[in-house]
Amino acid sequence: MFMPMQKLTVNDPETKSPDLVAENLAALKALFPELLTEGPEGVAVNLDVMKQLVGDRTVTEAEEKYGLNWHGKRRARQLALTPSTGTLRPCPEDSVDWDTTQNLMIEGDNLEVLKLLQKSYAGKVKLIYIDPPYNTGKDFVYPDNFQDNIKNYLEITGQTGEGGQKLSSNTEASGRFHTDWLNMMYPRLKLARNLLRDDGVIFISIDDNEIDNLQKLCSEILGEENFLGCITWQKKYAPANDTIDFSPSHDYLLVYAKLRPTGQNGKLEAILSREERSEKTNAAYKNPDNDPRGLWRADNYKCNKTSEERPNLYYSIIQPNTGDVIWPNKSAVWRYSKEKHEQNCKDKRVWWGVDGTNLVPAYKRFLSDVEGVVAQTIWLWSETGHNDEAKKEIQTLFPDAPDIFQTPKPTRLISKILSLGTIPDEENIVLDFFGGSATTAHAVLNQNLLDNGNRKYILVQLPEPTERKDYPTIAHITRERLRRAGKKIKDENSLFAGDLGFRVFKLDSTNIREWDPNRANLAESLEASVEHLKTNRTEQDILFELLLKLGLDLCVPIETRKIGTHEVHSIGAGTLLVCLSKSIPQAEVEPLALGLVAWHKELKPAGETTVVFRDSAFANDVAKTNLAAILQQYGLGNVRSL
């Protein structure tokens, strides 16, 4: 049966970021169809049925219950679930190596950007590192009221909203409200979790002001069972004598997994990589008996278990050189079973001392047996850098503006995070949606250089004003550091073939025009509405909105060729075919359709192909219908218009 060409409008679900509420309801319906009912405002969840399904005690409506609550939490949850109608507009002129790079720098409010990335990057990010505002009394500006044409950016500049009222910026005068900070963080973390791979991890820098709230917030969003650790990072090497009582010398890093893995026996498994062994950690390995297997160290042959707890580990062994019968303590039995001990003896892994007469054996653990060192939760500045080092890194890159950014993190700190949370020989995506001075991206480039890795980064930064003429917003600083860091690495390592470029996108309103009739002149409004795309947008703008809305990577290859007089784009090896010609006369419908069919056969895409045209390009509905019919005849049934 012939299906006519479907027209996309600004209200079409495909032109918005994912409707997470609808997806959640669909998931509930698939599991428990009886749980959903019709309410006064549409589909609703029947709490009585839920109690029957999971047991009365597991569903509570009590006011007093354990958890983190604050004024505005319900609104913050709604913000995370509200779809975005925005888009990301490409900016090749601000980019480096646009045609080849896989790295992204996105300018805009990170809440809206996270929503827009949901379709294209859900479940694809290996590591998230963020350094959010610390809520120390200085302003943080995240308005969370995205509007057409990003007109709220004008409000951000003045930090005021309608009528001059404060937005969600946080000042000393506002009492440094925890609620402001929590309302800002909650929806962003909620959306960020969706982007993580199942083996993904998130590291969050924070200080004493919000560490307690942040851990409770993360446990609610990511799951308490997925908490990996709280790292203390020594950020200063000397005390500040102008402080009162104590000089803060550390920050924290909260670390959570998306889904902490468990083995077949139900035991937790490692999700972070181990650190490389250093000369210091290897110093304990010697070879006093010239064992041909190399360096080894003596490990304890006993464990802290009692004979009652582990009776199979309480047995006697014979000292081979003296003939003595050796029993362990009843409060500290052998570490190995009798069978394993006999195997250790055969393998010559039991050590009785240099002269062979010790009464307690040791286990010979060879350096070749160990892979790496488990990371500890105290990170000293000598190993991971400090605040002054971070500032000097900025000053080295910006000798023309040494005071350009006051609160960067050192690249050595992020490099350690990357070594633990990513895998060098995989195409790991690293996301930082509080991009700041681009330390995360700089560290990604450094780490790829160090271990020949293939990590890609996505940075998001709000164009927050700086009161500087050379770099009027922080986003300008972000982009310039990316340029300078990449150039520095290339200049110093001419043979390095890694990706040092980045694509820039800017948050803006959708390219699709909204129906907004002038009631006083409907005829003029109807004539203007013939063109459904905004006239001040480029073909490239529209192409990348299609990528976002159809769930394709923003760095997916785009191939362009002429079919007759019409320029056609193949995206993702034929997953998407787009022709945005402004006019397709009746006589050119069939040649264009057959040309598309021929190219589609040549591309041989693995899945279904979507074909998109400009709706106003057709002289009439007959031409549009004929084109769709020809394409459908040759197996291209998913034809849309904009």
Side-chain angles (χ1 to χ4, degrees):
M1 186 176 102
F2 170 67
M3 296 292 292
M5 189 182 301
Q6 185 177 347
K7 176 181 169 184
L8 291 173
T9 69
V10 73
N11 294 317
D12 193 293
E14 284 191 76
T15 65
K16 300 178 180 179
S17 62
D19 188 337
L20 299 179
V21 173
E23 291 180 7
N24 291 340
L25 287 173
L28 280 174
K29 186 175 182 181
L31 290 172
F32 307 110
E34 67 272 35
L35 193 59
L36 301 184
T37 185
E38 290 186 10
E41 298 181 1
V43 177
V45 176
N46 191 318
L47 283 179
D48 291 333
V49 173
M50 180 179 286
K51 290 177 181 179
Q52 295 170 18
L53 288 171
V54 299
D56 284 354
R57 288 182 300 172
T58 60
V59 179
T60 178
E61 298 178 68
E63 289 185 10
E64 293 185 356
K65 51 184 178 289
Y66 178 79
L68 178 63
N69 290 291
W70 67 90
H71 179 68
K73 184 177 182 180
R74 181 176 298 178
R75 172 61 180 156
R77 188 182 290 116
Q78 290 172 341
L79 274 174
L81 297 172
T82 304
S84 174
T85 58
T87 190
L88 299 178
R89 297 181 67 183
C91 302
E93 66 281 2
D94 291 329
S95 307
V96 173
D97 298 333
W98 173 272
D99 292 329
T100 57
T101 186
Q102 297 288 304
N103 299 315
L104 299 176
M105 187 274 154
I106 303 172
E107 178 181 309
D109 178 6
N110 54 16
L111 179 64
E112 294 301 320
V113 173
L114 287 170
K115 291 178 182 180
L116 292 173
L117 295 180
Q118 293 293 305
K119 287 184 180 179
S120 296
Y121 292 94
K124 294 182 180 179
V125 174
K126 181 66 174 74
L127 169 69
I128 295 175
Y129 168 74
I130 55 172
D131 182 15
Y134 278 7
N135 199 14
T136 58
K138 297 179 181 179
D139 289 352
F140 57 85
V141 188
Y142 285 92
D144 299 344
N145 64 339
F146 174 76
Q147 298 172 11
D148 281 355
N149 301 315
I150 311 301
K151 62 186 179 183
N152 58 304
Y153 276 3
L154 299 176
E155 297 172 353
I156 292 170
T157 305
Q159 298 185 31
T160 56
E162 294 181 7
Q165 297 296 313
K166 280 278 184 183
L167 295 172
S168 57
S169 53
N170 186 29
T171 65
E172 193 75 46
S174 73
R176 286 164 37 181
F177 291 141
H178 294 293
T179 54
D180 288 348
W181 191 86
L182 288 166
N183 286 328
M184 184 271 292
M185 289 295 294
Y186 183 93
R188 289 164 174 81
L189 289 176
K190 192 81 172 174
L191 291 163
R193 182 189 181 278
N194 299 337
L195 301 180
L196 281 173
R197 291 172 15 176
D198 284 348
D199 64 343
V201 290
I202 181 169
F203 286 70
I204 308 174
S205 285
I206 200 66
D207 70 353
D208 291 306
N209 288 292
E210 294 293 351
I211 177 65
D212 181 54
N213 285 331
L214 180 61
Q215 184 160 359
K216 288 184 172 65
L217 191 66
C218 287
S219 291
E220 177 175 326
I221 293 171
L222 293 151
E224 191 173 7
E225 69 280 6
N226 293 317
F227 172 66
L228 299 183
C230 179
I231 296 162
T232 300
W233 169 56
Q234 186 185 12
K235 65 180 180 179
K236 293 182 180 180
Y237 55 85
N241 290 322
D242 58 348
T243 57
I244 301 173
D245 297 326
F246 289 101
S247 172
S249 297
H250 68 278
D251 279 349
Y252 301 99
L253 282 162
L254 273 182
V255 191
Y256 278 78
K258 166 85 174 283
L259 189 64
R260 194 165 189 179
T262 54
Q264 293 181 348
N265 58 2
K267 290 186 177 180
L268 293 175
E269 294 183 349
I271 194 169
L272 298 175
S273 300
R274 295 198 172 197
E275 294 187 277
E276 289 187 11
R277 305 189 65 83
S278 65
E279 291 184 9
K280 183 178 179 180
T281 55
N282 290 339
Y285 289 81
K286 312 289 184 181
N287 194 358
D289 59 350
N290 295 315
D291 194 306
R293 290 170 289 187
L295 299 173
W296 58 272
R297 77 174 187 185
D299 275 1
N300 199 338
Y301 217 77
K302 294 181 180 180
C303 65
N304 295 322
K305 298 289 183 181
T306 67
S307 57
E308 293 181 357
E309 290 177 287
R310 301 296 298 272
N312 64 316
L313 301 182
Y314 185 70
Y315 57 89
S316 64
I317 60 178
I318 304 298
Q319 217 289 5
N321 298 312
T322 65
D324 292 329
V325 178
I326 310 296
W327 286 86
N329 298 329
K330 289 188 176 183
S331 59
V333 295
W334 301 127
R335 186 177 295 276
Y336 307 99
S337 67
K338 192 168 187 177
E339 294 76 17
K340 180 62 177 173
H341 167 70
E342 292 171 355
Q343 186 62 48
N344 290 342
C345 292
K346 288 180 182 179
D347 293 341
K348 297 182 179 179
R349 284 180 175 264
V350 183
W351 173 249
W352 294 96
V354 175
D355 60 0
T357 60
N358 288 2
L359 293 179
V360 179
Y363 180 79
K364 291 174 68 173
R365 188 173 304 281
F366 290 90
L367 180 58
S368 57
D369 294 338
V370 294
E371 296 179 356
V373 180
V374 176
Q376 295 180 286
T377 56
I378 295 179
W379 292 6
L380 302 178
W381 66 260
S382 57
E383 299 174 353
T384 53
H386 47 72
N387 287 347
D388 285 349
E389 178 180 309
K391 290 180 181 179
K392 288 175 182 176
E393 286 180 329
I394 291 284
Q395 291 167 358
T396 300
L397 284 175
F398 291 86
D400 53 322
D403 60 342
I404 193 170
F405 200 85
Q406 297 302 312
T407 57
K409 291 292 188 290
T411 53
R412 281 202 291 162
L413 174 67
I414 313 303
S415 290
K416 179 157 184 171
I417 292 171
L418 292 170
S419 69
L420 295 174
T422 61
I423 304 169
D425 55 357
E426 289 186 3
E427 287 193 0
N428 290 172
I429 297 176
V430 178
L431 169 65
D432 181 352
F433 50 89
F434 289 94
S437 68
T439 302
T440 298
H442 192 171
V444 166
L445 301 182
N446 285 344
Q447 197 66 19
N448 284 345
L449 174 66
L450 183 67
D451 60 17
N452 199 30
N454 196 25
R455 303 169 187 85
K456 313 298 180 187
Y457 64 75
I458 301 175
L459 290 192
V460 185
Q461 177 55 44
L462 186 76
E464 186 177 347
T466 63
E467 298 182 358
R468 297 182 65 106
K469 291 182 179 180
D470 49 355
Y471 302 102
T473 71
I474 292 178
H476 283 83
I477 300 172
T478 310
R479 291 194 295 272
E480 186 60 23
R481 182 174 184 181
L482 294 177
R483 294 188 193 98
R484 297 190 184 197
K487 184 178 184 303
K488 185 174 187 293
I489 290 173
K490 188 65 175 176
D491 290 345
E492 296 175 357
N493 305 272
S494 58
L495 298 179
F496 180 59
D499 185 357
L500 298 173
F502 58 95
R503 283 187 172 186
V504 174
F505 291 84
K506 294 184 181 180
L507 178 67
D508 210 324
S509 59
T510 178
N511 297 292
I512 303 172
R513 295 176 65 178
E514 197 170 0
W515 170 242
D516 187 18
N518 179 359
R519 305 295 178 184
N521 195 338
L522 284 177
E524 183 180 316
S525 295
L526 287 169
E527 184 177 347
S529 70
V530 171
E531 175 57 70
H532 305 294
L533 300 173
K534 292 176 180 176
T535 56
N536 63 339
R537 301 299 172 88
T538 67
E539 202 163 291
Q540 198 175 41
D541 290 336
I542 300 163
L543 281 176
F544 279 97
E545 180 162 6
L546 285 170
L547 296 191
L548 281 174
K549 301 309 167 60
L550 297 178
L552 296 174
D553 192 304
L554 286 172
C555 292
V556 69
I558 300 177
E559 185 182 352
T560 303
R561 67 167 56 174
K562 281 288 189 77
I563 298 178
T565 60
H566 303 284
E567 201 170 66
V568 181
H569 309 280
S570 166
I571 301 170
T575 301
L576 182 63
L577 293 173
V578 183
C579 176
L580 296 174
S581 294
K582 293 184 177 181
S583 175
I584 304 176
Q586 177 70 46
E588 297 177 15
V589 165
E590 186 173 355
L592 176 58
L594 294 177
L596 282 166
V597 169
W599 196 15
H600 179 258
K601 288 181 179 179
E602 182 184 326
L603 292 166
K604 297 178 181 177
E608 185 182 21
T609 295
T610 300
V611 188
V612 180
F613 298 94
R614 187 187 295 263
D615 193 76
S616 61
F618 299 98
N620 50 50
D621 288 342
V622 174
K624 185 164 63 171
T625 302
N626 288 345
L627 190 146
I630 296 170
L631 292 175
Q632 187 170 330
Q633 181 183 349
Y634 289 94
L636 291 170
N638 192 12
V639 186
R640 318 296 290 272
S641 67
L642 284 169

